[in-house]
Amino acid sequence: MNQKISMSRPSVGEAGRTGDWRSSRPVMRAELCLAAKAGKVTCQLCWLYCPDACITQGMPPEIELEYCKGCGICAEECPAHAIEMVPERAHGVCEMPGGAAR
């Protein structure tokens, strides 16, 4: 049987690089990821459920932060709890105009 699946890659759209919208970012802990532990492409629920196609399939999957809006769906769907949502201010990169951090 010949099956086709839709595939997309993150890219600049009308809204630009949407990662700037984030208040929390997903952080992957590879030592907990089922794919990384198995050494092959398994699980991949984070990739499957990401509404913005910001996660690549792999061992471990990689998250493209330029387009990740920080919705947290990947962290919620990960059965191994390998993805944690961390506030952007913990990375020191998210500041509002006038110097106030979000």
Side-chain angles (χ1 to χ4, degrees):
M1 180 158 90
N2 187 8
Q3 293 182 330
K4 294 182 181 182
I5 61 171
S6 87
M7 296 183 69
S8 62
R9 295 192 184 349
S11 63
V12 177
E14 278 185 42
R17 297 193 186 287
T18 52
D20 293 341
W21 301 356
R22 229 183 12 251
S23 60
S24 293
R25 75 169 54 189
V27 175
M28 173 75 67
R29 293 183 52 202
E31 69 274 9
L32 297 178
C33 176
L34 297 177
K37 286 168 53 171
K40 58 185 176 182
V41 179
T42 60
C43 183
Q44 305 294 305
L45 290 177
C46 56
W47 168 81
L48 179 67
Y49 284 102
C50 178
D52 295 313
C54 295
I55 302 177
T56 63
Q57 284 185 302
M59 305 168 288
E62 292 183 17
I63 302 168
E64 176 56 65
L65 293 174
E66 287 188 37
Y67 303 100
C68 172
K69 295 177 191 147
C71 69
I73 292 173
C74 57
E76 289 292 321
E77 294 299 329
C78 179
H81 307 287
I83 303 173
E84 178 183 4
M85 297 304 292
V86 177
E88 281 293 333
R89 78 179 117 216
H91 295 278
V93 295
C94 187
E95 292 202 10
M96 300 289 284
R102 283 198 277 182

